[in-house]
Short mmCIF file of all heavy atoms in Angstrom, two decimals:
data_model
loop_
_atom_site.label_atom_id
_atom_site.label_comp_id
_atom_site.label_asym_id
_atom_site.label_seq_id
_atom_site.Cartn_x
_atom_site.Cartn_y
_atom_site.Cartn_z
N LEU A 1 0.83 -1.20 0.00
CA LEU A 1 0.00 0.00 0.00
C LEU A 1 0.86 1.25 0.00
O LEU A 1 0.58 2.22 -0.72
CB LEU A 1 -0.94 0.00 1.21
CG LEU A 1 -2.01 -1.09 1.25
CD1 LEU A 1 -2.89 -0.92 2.48
CD2 LEU A 1 -2.86 -1.08 -0.01
N ALA A 2 1.91 1.26 0.80
CA ALA A 2 2.78 2.43 0.85
C ALA A 2 3.49 2.65 -0.48
O ALA A 2 3.62 3.79 -0.96
CB ALA A 2 3.79 2.29 1.99
N ARG A 3 3.95 1.57 -1.10
CA ARG A 3 4.61 1.69 -2.39
C ARG A 3 3.66 2.21 -3.46
O ARG A 3 4.00 3.08 -4.27
CB ARG A 3 5.18 0.33 -2.83
CG ARG A 3 6.39 -0.15 -2.03
CD ARG A 3 6.75 -1.57 -2.44
NE ARG A 3 7.87 -2.11 -1.71
CZ ARG A 3 9.14 -2.05 -2.10
NH1 ARG A 3 9.44 -1.42 -3.22
NH2 ARG A 3 10.09 -2.58 -1.37
N GLY A 4 2.43 1.66 -3.46
CA GLY A 4 1.46 2.12 -4.44
C GLY A 4 1.09 3.57 -4.23
O GLY A 4 0.95 4.34 -5.20
N LEU A 5 0.92 3.97 -2.97
CA LEU A 5 0.59 5.36 -2.66
C LEU A 5 1.73 6.29 -3.07
O LEU A 5 1.51 7.35 -3.67
CB LEU A 5 0.30 5.48 -1.17
CG LEU A 5 -0.27 6.81 -0.67
CD1 LEU A 5 -1.57 7.17 -1.38
CD2 LEU A 5 -0.49 6.73 0.85
N ALA A 6 2.98 5.90 -2.77
CA ALA A 6 4.13 6.72 -3.13
C ALA A 6 4.25 6.84 -4.65
O ALA A 6 4.56 7.92 -5.18
CB ALA A 6 5.40 6.12 -2.54
N ASN A 7 4.01 5.75 -5.35
CA ASN A 7 4.08 5.79 -6.80
C ASN A 7 3.04 6.74 -7.39
O ASN A 7 3.32 7.53 -8.29
CB ASN A 7 3.87 4.39 -7.36
CG ASN A 7 4.09 4.33 -8.86
OD1 ASN A 7 5.21 4.44 -9.34
ND2 ASN A 7 3.01 4.19 -9.61
N ALA A 8 1.83 6.71 -6.85
CA ALA A 8 0.77 7.60 -7.34
C ALA A 8 1.10 9.06 -7.08
O ALA A 8 0.87 9.93 -7.92
CB ALA A 8 -0.55 7.23 -6.68
N VAL A 9 1.65 9.35 -5.91
CA VAL A 9 2.04 10.73 -5.58
C VAL A 9 3.13 11.21 -6.54
O VAL A 9 3.09 12.34 -7.04
CB VAL A 9 2.49 10.82 -4.11
CG1 VAL A 9 3.15 12.16 -3.81
CG2 VAL A 9 1.30 10.59 -3.17
N ALA A 10 4.12 10.35 -6.80
CA ALA A 10 5.20 10.72 -7.72
C ALA A 10 4.68 10.94 -9.13
O ALA A 10 5.11 11.85 -9.84
CB ALA A 10 6.29 9.65 -7.70
N GLN A 11 3.74 10.09 -9.57
CA GLN A 11 3.14 10.26 -10.90
C GLN A 11 2.45 11.61 -11.02
O GLN A 11 2.37 12.19 -12.11
CB GLN A 11 2.12 9.14 -11.16
CG GLN A 11 2.72 7.77 -11.37
CD GLN A 11 3.18 7.56 -12.82
OE1 GLN A 11 3.27 8.50 -13.59
NE2 GLN A 11 3.48 6.33 -13.15
N ALA A 12 1.95 12.12 -9.91
CA ALA A 12 1.25 13.41 -9.92
C ALA A 12 2.20 14.59 -9.77
O ALA A 12 1.77 15.74 -9.72
CB ALA A 12 0.22 13.44 -8.79
N GLY A 13 3.51 14.33 -9.69
CA GLY A 13 4.48 15.42 -9.71
C GLY A 13 5.09 15.80 -8.38
O GLY A 13 5.77 16.83 -8.30
N VAL A 14 4.90 14.99 -7.34
CA VAL A 14 5.47 15.29 -6.02
C VAL A 14 6.35 14.12 -5.60
O VAL A 14 5.90 12.97 -5.62
CB VAL A 14 4.36 15.54 -4.98
CG1 VAL A 14 4.97 15.73 -3.59
CG2 VAL A 14 3.53 16.77 -5.36
N ASP A 15 7.59 14.39 -5.21
CA ASP A 15 8.46 13.32 -4.73
C ASP A 15 7.86 12.65 -3.51
O ASP A 15 7.29 13.31 -2.63
CB ASP A 15 9.84 13.88 -4.37
CG ASP A 15 10.67 14.19 -5.60
OD1 ASP A 15 10.41 15.23 -6.25
OD2 ASP A 15 11.56 13.41 -5.92
N ALA A 16 8.00 11.33 -3.44
CA ALA A 16 7.44 10.57 -2.32
C ALA A 16 8.50 9.64 -1.76
O ALA A 16 9.36 9.12 -2.50
CB ALA A 16 6.21 9.77 -2.76
N PHE A 17 8.44 9.41 -0.46
CA PHE A 17 9.41 8.59 0.25
C PHE A 17 8.66 7.62 1.16
O PHE A 17 7.68 8.00 1.80
CB PHE A 17 10.35 9.45 1.08
CG PHE A 17 11.16 10.43 0.28
CD1 PHE A 17 10.61 11.65 -0.14
CD2 PHE A 17 12.47 10.14 -0.06
CE1 PHE A 17 11.36 12.55 -0.89
CE2 PHE A 17 13.23 11.04 -0.81
CZ PHE A 17 12.67 12.24 -1.22
N VAL A 18 9.14 6.38 1.24
CA VAL A 18 8.55 5.38 2.14
C VAL A 18 9.60 5.01 3.18
O VAL A 18 10.67 4.47 2.84
CB VAL A 18 8.10 4.12 1.38
CG1 VAL A 18 7.58 3.07 2.36
CG2 VAL A 18 7.00 4.48 0.37
N VAL A 19 9.31 5.30 4.45
CA VAL A 19 10.21 4.95 5.55
C VAL A 19 9.94 3.52 5.97
O VAL A 19 8.79 3.15 6.23
CB VAL A 19 9.99 5.89 6.76
CG1 VAL A 19 11.02 5.57 7.86
CG2 VAL A 19 10.07 7.35 6.35
N THR A 20 10.98 2.70 6.06
CA THR A 20 10.80 1.32 6.50
C THR A 20 11.01 1.24 8.01
O THR A 20 12.03 1.66 8.54
CB THR A 20 11.80 0.38 5.80
OG1 THR A 20 13.14 0.81 6.05
CG2 THR A 20 11.55 0.36 4.31
N LEU A 21 10.02 0.71 8.70
CA LEU A 21 10.10 0.53 10.14
C LEU A 21 11.04 -0.62 10.49
O LEU A 21 11.35 -1.46 9.63
CB LEU A 21 8.71 0.25 10.70
CG LEU A 21 7.70 1.40 10.63
CD1 LEU A 21 6.31 0.93 11.01
CD2 LEU A 21 8.14 2.57 11.52
N PRO A 22 11.50 -0.71 11.74
CA PRO A 22 12.34 -1.84 12.14
C PRO A 22 11.65 -3.17 11.81
O PRO A 22 10.46 -3.34 12.03
CB PRO A 22 12.46 -1.65 13.66
CG PRO A 22 12.32 -0.17 13.86
CD PRO A 22 11.32 0.27 12.83
N GLY A 23 12.42 -4.09 11.25
CA GLY A 23 11.88 -5.39 10.85
C GLY A 23 11.55 -5.49 9.38
O GLY A 23 11.30 -6.59 8.87
N TYR A 24 11.56 -4.36 8.66
CA TYR A 24 11.14 -4.34 7.26
C TYR A 24 12.32 -4.01 6.35
O TYR A 24 13.33 -3.46 6.79
CB TYR A 24 10.02 -3.32 7.06
CG TYR A 24 8.72 -3.75 7.69
CD1 TYR A 24 8.49 -3.58 9.05
CD2 TYR A 24 7.72 -4.36 6.92
CE1 TYR A 24 7.30 -3.98 9.64
CE2 TYR A 24 6.53 -4.77 7.50
CZ TYR A 24 6.32 -4.58 8.86
OH TYR A 24 5.15 -4.98 9.43
N GLY A 25 12.16 -4.32 5.06
CA GLY A 25 13.21 -4.05 4.09
C GLY A 25 14.49 -4.77 4.47
O GLY A 25 14.48 -5.97 4.79
N GLY A 26 15.60 -4.05 4.47
CA GLY A 26 16.87 -4.64 4.84
C GLY A 26 17.07 -4.81 6.34
O GLY A 26 18.05 -5.40 6.78
N ARG A 27 16.11 -4.31 7.12
CA ARG A 27 16.21 -4.39 8.59
C ARG A 27 15.45 -5.64 9.06
O ARG A 27 14.49 -5.56 9.80
CB ARG A 27 15.64 -3.13 9.20
CG ARG A 27 16.18 -1.86 8.57
CD ARG A 27 15.44 -0.63 9.04
NE ARG A 27 15.86 -0.27 10.39
CZ ARG A 27 15.29 0.69 11.11
NH1 ARG A 27 14.24 1.35 10.62
NH2 ARG A 27 15.73 0.97 12.31
N ARG A 28 15.90 -6.78 8.63
CA ARG A 28 15.17 -8.02 8.87
C ARG A 28 15.09 -8.35 10.36
O ARG A 28 16.05 -8.15 11.10
CB ARG A 28 15.83 -9.17 8.11
CG ARG A 28 15.79 -8.99 6.59
CD ARG A 28 16.42 -10.17 5.89
NE ARG A 28 16.43 -9.97 4.45
CZ ARG A 28 15.40 -10.20 3.66
NH1 ARG A 28 14.28 -10.67 4.17
NH2 ARG A 28 15.49 -9.99 2.35
N PRO A 29 13.96 -8.90 10.79
CA PRO A 29 13.81 -9.26 12.21
C PRO A 29 14.59 -10.53 12.53
O PRO A 29 14.99 -11.28 11.62
CB PRO A 29 12.31 -9.50 12.35
CG PRO A 29 11.90 -9.99 11.00
CD PRO A 29 12.74 -9.21 10.02
N PRO A 30 14.81 -10.82 13.80
CA PRO A 30 15.45 -12.09 14.18
C PRO A 30 14.62 -13.27 13.68
O PRO A 30 13.41 -13.16 13.47
CB PRO A 30 15.47 -12.03 15.70
CG PRO A 30 15.33 -10.59 16.05
CD PRO A 30 14.50 -9.98 14.96
#
């Protein structure tokens, strides 16, 4: 959802950023 929302905002001409919380992306949980 965050990726889709960020993509839509960028398509409309505004830079968008998605912050990954602890445990997500490269910050893998134990």
Side-chain angles (χ1 to χ4, degrees):
L1 294 182
R3 289 173 181 268
L5 189 58
N7 186 71
V9 169
Q11 289 277 13
V14 175
D15 284 77
F17 299 81
V18 176
V19 184
T20 57
L21 293 171
Y24 290 81
R27 311 171 76 187
R28 296 182 182 278

